């Protein structure tokens, strides 16, 4: 691998680039070949006292793509590796982080305690497709044509988190969204029988720190009890986790 970065403005604005040659050993199967990849990225990063952000372009090229026979993917569970063809993935990653109280100067209103309100927003755009035609006994691949999109890879992924933190407690909220994705390699419009559902999920968590060694917590995941398909393997439709509540304590010595 090789990486480089340039400080356009000292400690504030940086441009970076990198290239990496990847390798995955083929395992013990006599007919399986090693996977090779070339991964390239180019990005910029901004860092200030109350704000930081990053934007990254990436590109990956894979040869002899490796899959694994796992029970979780509907296989027999042997763990044996097998080859697909060639594929490429390209995309964009964006991330921004700030402390709203520090950014707006509102932290001055909390003189008795130090309060923070960090917010983090990220987005990933990914386009991945096979660049070689082949036939595979692995069901999600099957008979692949050049240009078929890779299965189980969402084109759009978004996440936002907001917290209010003090010295004795914190409230954390998280929102994540994902576009529908293919469950079989293919091209064109998504078919309901060969794709997952788009989803928007919110979680919340409250934490209390009464001392140096104990943290009490309570919260909920999938707060709105969204129902959506996350997979079609193994053995048919797989739903998302329903609304769940949890409460407990963590003790550290």
């Amino acid at each position: 691998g090789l990486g480089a970065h340039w400080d356009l403005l000292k400690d504030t604005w940086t441009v970076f680039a990198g290239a990496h040659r990847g390798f995955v050993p083929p395992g013990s199967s006599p007919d399986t070949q090693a996977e090779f990849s070339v991964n390239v990225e180019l990005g910029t990063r901004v860092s200030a006292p109350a704000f930081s952000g990053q934007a990254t372009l990436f590109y990956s090229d894979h040869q002899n793509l490796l899959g694994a026979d796992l029970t979780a993917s509907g296989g027999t569970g042997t763990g044996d590796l097998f080859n697909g063809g060639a594929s490429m993935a390209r995309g964009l990653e964006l991330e921004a982080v700030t402390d709203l109280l520090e950014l707006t100067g509102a932290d001055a209103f909390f003189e008795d305690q130090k309060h923070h309100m960090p917010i983090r927003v990220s987005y990933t755009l990914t386009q991945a497709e096979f660049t070689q035609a082949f036939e595979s006994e692995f069901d999600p691949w099957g008979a692949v044509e050049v240009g078929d999109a890779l299965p189980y890879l969402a084109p759009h992924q978004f996440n936002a988190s907001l917290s209010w933190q003090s010295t004795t407690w914190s409230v954390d909220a998280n929102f994540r969204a994902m576009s529908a994705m293919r469950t079989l390699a293919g091209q064109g419009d998504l078919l309901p029988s060969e794709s997952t559902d788009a989803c928007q999920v919110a979680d919340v968590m409250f934490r209390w720190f009464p001392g140096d060694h104990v943290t009490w917590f309570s919260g909920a995941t999938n707060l709105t009890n969204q129902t959506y398909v996350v997979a079609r393997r193994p053995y048919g439709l797989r739903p998302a986790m329903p609304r769940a509540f949890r409460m407990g304590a963590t003790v550290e010595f």
Side-chain angles (χ1 to χ4, degrees):
L2 178 67
H5 75 274
W6 297 266
D7 289 329
L8 300 182
L9 291 176
K10 186 177 180 181
D11 299 328
T12 303
W13 184 17
T14 301
V15 174
F16 59 89
H20 180 264
R21 174 69 161 170
F23 166 78
V24 179
S28 58
S29 300
D31 298 328
T32 306
Q33 301 179 19
E35 175 185 305
F36 290 92
S37 63
V38 175
N39 310 284
V40 181
E41 66 175 4
L42 174 65
T44 184
R45 184 180 296 113
V46 176
S47 180
F51 173 84
S52 64
Q54 181 172 300
T56 307
L57 292 168
F58 62 88
Y59 175 85
S60 297
D61 180 88
H62 289 78
Q63 302 293 326
N64 299 327
L65 188 66
L66 279 173
D69 178 24
L70 303 176
T71 305
S73 60
T76 62
T78 64
D80 291 341
L81 300 177
F82 53 88
N83 284 115
S87 69
M88 72 88 185
R90 58 178 179 265
L92 169 68
E93 292 182 341
L94 301 173
E95 183 181 51
V97 182
T98 188
D99 188 319
L100 291 180
L101 295 182
E102 185 176 353
L103 187 67
T104 60
D107 54 341
F109 293 101
F110 304 97
E111 296 181 357
D112 57 329
Q113 295 187 30
K114 188 64 175 177
H115 285 248
H116 296 280
M117 191 174 286
I119 181 172
R120 180 186 299 270
V121 178
S122 62
Y123 169 75
T124 303
L125 168 67
T126 306
Q127 294 181 332
E129 61 186 42
F130 289 102
T131 56
Q132 177 184 354
F134 65 94
E135 291 191 8
S136 174
E137 295 181 357
F138 183 50
D139 288 344
W141 291 353
V144 172
E145 300 293 337
V146 174
D148 282 357
L150 269 69
Y152 289 106
L153 185 58
H156 304 279
Q157 299 182 67
F158 174 82
N159 190 85
S161 62
L162 174 64
S163 300
W164 193 341
Q165 304 170 349
S166 79
T167 56
T168 57
W169 55 266
S170 71
V171 179
D172 307 302
N174 187 80
F175 174 81
R176 60 188 186 276
M178 183 181 299
S179 63
M181 55 186 171
R182 297 179 183 276
T183 57
L184 294 174
Q187 303 182 38
D189 297 335
L190 294 180
L191 300 177
S193 61
E194 297 179 359
S195 62
T196 65
D197 296 329
C199 64
Q200 305 84 35
V201 181
D203 307 323
V204 66
M205 179 68 70
F206 173 76
R207 293 181 174 87
W208 177 44
F209 322 112
D212 295 334
H213 304 291
V214 179
T215 300
W216 292 91
F217 62 86
S218 64
T221 56
N222 193 0
L223 194 61
T224 59
N225 201 27
Q226 283 252 323
T227 302
Y228 56 96
V229 175
V230 296
R232 294 181 179 274
R233 298 178 59 83
Y235 313 120
L237 292 173
R238 297 292 167 183
M241 181 179 179
R243 181 194 293 126
F245 299 94
R246 52 181 172 155
M247 179 181 295
T250 302
V251 180
E252 297 179 349
F253 297 96

